[in-house]
Amino acid sequence: MALNQVFKALSDPTRRGIIRLLGHGERTAGELSASFDMTKPSMSHHFAVLKEADLVTSRRDGQQIYYSLNTTVLEDVMTRIWDLFGSDNPKGNSIL
Amino acid sequence: MALNQVFKALSDPTRRGIIRLLGHGERTAGELSASFDMTKPSMSHHFAVLKEADLVTSRRDGQQIYYSLNTTVLEDVMTRIWDLFGSDNPKGNSIL
DNA sequence: CGATTATTTAGATTGTTGTCTAATTATCTC
DNA sequence: GAGATAATTAGACAACAATCTAAATAATCG
């Protein structure tokens, strides 16, 4: 997991909004897009960034693509953020 | 605290490196700069970004400027990241 | 005050990101 | 297969970010 990509993905408010919506369960690309004042291609770009960071997964069902939170990544992210701020990390700079 | 700025600040590996070093205690701008293969003005820029995000504080002592982690912000950051991923946030989208 | 050291600010450059419109792919239905 | 719908990909463009060199500010010390 690339911590860099995770932070970049989270640094955009639209993407945090997408994540928040997905916290309530999977949604189609169209449903998510309807919640933001932005074109669908722009939303599609944000989906791609979130997928690249491994924060969401997608599956196609017919014409629609459903997005979900990749919950298995969250614990890892939190641990590494915690480590980042802690002073007792035995690994030194290895996970910068 | 602007979550946007926090994530942007953390999305650069040099800045995460600075934070990690500061986890061991305060350091001068010069000490921090010596740990990275980058000019001092570039490092100074990173310090400014971290300060802007309220992740570090600084104090001058003579010719040197000492940087420290702003530890009071960490708990807040962690809480808000946690909320971001949780499905039971009563505030809806208010803290995007 | 003049020289030296520590650090920041200014300005330029190059690469990256967010957004759009237009075009494309994938699927469904008739 | 043709038309309609859902979503992505391609390409362009403006705004932003990371880095550098050169210049400026701040403090110390003789």
Side-chain angles (χ1 to χ4, degrees):
Chain A
M1 196 257 302
L3 202 52
N4 230 329
Q5 290 177 296
V6 170
F7 281 121
K8 283 197 166 136
L10 294 177
S11 72
D12 182 275
T14 299
R15 291 193 286 264
R16 289 202 299 282
I18 292 167
I19 285 176
R20 187 172 298 283
L21 288 177
L22 292 180
H24 295 92
E26 69 176 4
R27 296 283 187 274
T28 68
E31 287 169 343
L32 291 170
S33 297
S35 298
F36 298 87
D37 185 17
M38 192 173 292
T39 64
K40 285 178 183 184
S42 296
M43 291 298 294
S44 196
H45 161 72
H46 288 307
F47 301 151
V49 172
L50 289 169
K51 277 180 71 171
E52 192 69 24
D54 210 26
L55 289 169
V56 307
T57 57
S58 66
R59 70 182 176 86
R60 176 181 281 275
D61 181 15
Q63 282 173 282
Q64 275 136 94
I65 293 184
Y66 284 86
Y67 286 97
S68 326
L69 270 190
N70 185 353
T71 52
T72 66
V73 158
L74 173 58
E75 187 182 347
D76 195 19
V77 171
M78 295 298 285
T79 299
R80 291 174 71 174
I81 293 173
W82 193 261
D83 284 352
L84 182 64
F85 285 92
S87 61
D88 53 1
N89 171 31
K91 292 186 193 166
N93 289 338
S94 63
I95 63 167
L96 294 185
Chain B
M1 197 255 303
L3 201 53
N4 230 330
Q5 289 177 295
V6 170
F7 281 121
K8 283 200 162 129
L10 294 176
S11 72
D12 182 276
T14 299
R15 291 194 286 264
R16 290 201 301 280
I18 292 167
I19 286 177
R20 188 172 297 286
L21 288 176
L22 292 180
H24 295 93
E26 69 176 4
R27 295 283 188 276
T28 68
E31 287 169 344
L32 291 170
S33 297
S35 298
F36 297 86
D37 185 19
M38 193 172 292
T39 64
K40 285 178 182 186
S42 296
M43 290 298 293
S44 195
H45 160 72
H46 287 306
F47 301 152
V49 172
L50 289 169
K51 278 179 70 172
E52 191 70 24
D54 210 26
L55 289 168
V56 308
T57 57
S58 66
R59 69 182 177 86
R60 177 181 280 276
D61 181 14
Q63 280 174 283
Q64 276 136 97
I65 292 182
Y66 284 86
Y67 286 96
S68 326
L69 270 191
N70 184 354
T71 51
T72 66
V73 158
L74 173 57
E75 187 183 345
D76 195 21
V77 172
M78 295 297 285
T79 300
R80 291 174 70 175
I81 294 173
W82 194 262
D83 284 351
L84 181 63
F85 286 92
S87 61
D88 52 1
N89 171 30
K91 292 188 196 165
N93 288 338
S94 64
I95 64 169
L96 293 185

